[in-house]
Amino acid sequence: MANELRPCPCDIGDRSDYGGRGQEVQVEHIKAYICKPPASTDKAVIVIHDIFGWQLPNTRYITDMLTTNGYIAICPDFFVGQEAWKPSNDWATFDDWLKTRNASKIDKEVDVILKYLSEQCGAKKIGVIGFCWGGAAVHHLMLKNPHLKTGVSLYGVIRFFEDRSSLLHPTFFIFAEKDEYIPMEQVKQLEQKLKQNCKVHYEVKIYPGQTHGFVHRKREDINPQDKLYIEEGRKDMINWLNKYL
């Protein structure tokens, strides 16, 4: 059993010192980190951060990786100025902290970012990826938002998911076999519901031996035994986006 005082996954992992190749911008009431590829494109990806917020270097690293694969990539501050979780915080206060940061209450911010990507960046095909808390937000958006083409939910915490599975867009779910915060039983139940109710293409993939956060909070140079799966998860994410955007 996971420690009940730690209801969310989150040691910060191998925090990188990555500085980022993009820039910070103000989009109406939202701060955001954006990176654009050298060649013009009409494809964009919104990156939804985990509980550690939009400034986590690891998340910016993935944002830039999307750009090297030809996408405009933007990671907005979906906490809208509220403090991100810090590893030094008391986990006993986590549920109270979470009450003002609901992963299914980001529609207003997403609409602002979609408008910005369309009007300021020329994006016509827009997808979304998200990690942990952000993975649950992706699930919500795939149920609701008609303007997004596809989504990738990376170890989205299933207990934050809405209890619906009639997705509107193709969605890829990445889970870690040894994730102590997302029991495999919950993943199996999610698969069952998707099988019964989902009319669009979806995939649920479990990566053997991996723990929560492996795609963005583990570094392949520090975890040689996990390198294969870290790289595979990143490649699978890009391949899914390439297929549907």
Side-chain angles (χ1 to χ4, degrees):
M1 273 298 286
N3 176 347
E4 290 307 315
L5 289 179
R6 292 194 51 176
C8 194
C10 287
D11 61 7
I12 208 156
D14 305 318
R15 183 169 185 145
S16 80
D17 300 321
Y18 184 72
R21 295 181 3 203
Q23 59 180 350
E24 293 186 4
V25 293
Q26 185 78 34
V27 185
E28 293 188 22
H29 66 294
I30 308 159
K31 286 192 167 114
Y33 173 80
I34 188 167
C35 195
K36 296 177 183 176
S40 68
T41 179
D42 63 354
K43 297 175 180 180
V45 179
I46 299 170
V47 178
I48 307 184
H49 53 74
D50 58 19
I51 63 170
F52 297 114
W54 72 295
Q55 292 175 309
L56 186 71
N58 306 54
T59 307
R60 294 193 170 187
Y61 178 78
I62 299 291
T63 306
D64 289 358
M65 182 189 293
L66 292 167
T67 299
T68 61
N69 283 274
Y71 296 99
I72 300 160
I74 188 167
C75 180
D77 174 15
F78 282 105
F79 295 157
V80 200
Q82 294 187 95
E83 270 199 32
W85 185 258
K86 294 191 191 76
S88 57
N89 287 7
D90 178 359
W91 284 100
T93 66
F94 180 76
D95 282 339
D96 283 339
W97 177 89
L98 193 65
K99 279 175 190 161
T100 56
R101 297 160 180 82
N102 186 326
S104 59
K105 297 222 167 108
I106 59 166
D107 299 307
K108 183 175 152 199
E109 284 68 43
V110 169
D111 287 344
V112 166
I113 296 300
L114 284 169
K115 182 168 178 260
Y116 171 79
L117 287 171
S118 158
E119 293 179 2
Q120 305 295 321
C121 306
K124 295 188 174 67
K125 299 174 197 155
I126 303 171
V128 60
I129 69 165
F131 307 96
C132 173
W133 182 91
V138 168
H139 178 257
H140 164 75
L141 292 169
M142 291 296 97
L143 290 167
K144 183 167 182 189
N145 193 300
H147 305 296
L148 292 160
K149 299 284 185 206
T150 189
V152 182
S153 172
L154 296 98
Y155 25 87
V157 180
I158 294 178
R159 74 182 189 95
F160 302 161
F161 280 20
E162 291 162 67
D163 192 22
R164 291 187 298 135
S165 42
S166 47
L167 303 170
L168 300 178
H169 314 285
T171 309
F172 182 39
F173 296 91
I174 287 176
F175 290 107
E177 183 193 22
K178 305 284 189 198
D179 193 324
E180 62 176 300
Y181 304 96
I182 306 173
M184 283 299 101
E185 185 54 40
Q186 289 182 5
V187 177
K188 297 294 176 216
Q189 286 168 1
L190 174 69
E191 283 188 281
Q192 200 56 44
K193 285 180 189 169
L194 289 167
K195 198 172 173 182
Q196 288 166 355
N197 303 310
C198 191
K199 304 281 194 290
V200 297
H201 184 212
Y202 68 88
E203 187 180 335
V204 175
K205 183 168 176 178
I206 298 163
Y207 293 73
Q210 293 311 293
T211 54
H212 192 89
F214 75 101
V215 173
H216 81 303
R217 287 214 302 267
K218 269 188 186 178
R219 281 168 50 189
E220 60 275 29
D221 55 338
I222 293 177
N223 300 273
Q225 74 284 9
D226 299 316
K227 179 175 178 170
L228 179 71
Y229 293 112
I230 296 168
E231 290 178 346
E232 186 180 328
R234 291 172 179 176
K235 192 164 127 200
D236 289 345
M237 173 184 77
I238 297 291
N239 287 342
W240 186 274
L241 293 169
N242 289 347
K243 185 174 180 180
Y244 289 107
L245 287 182

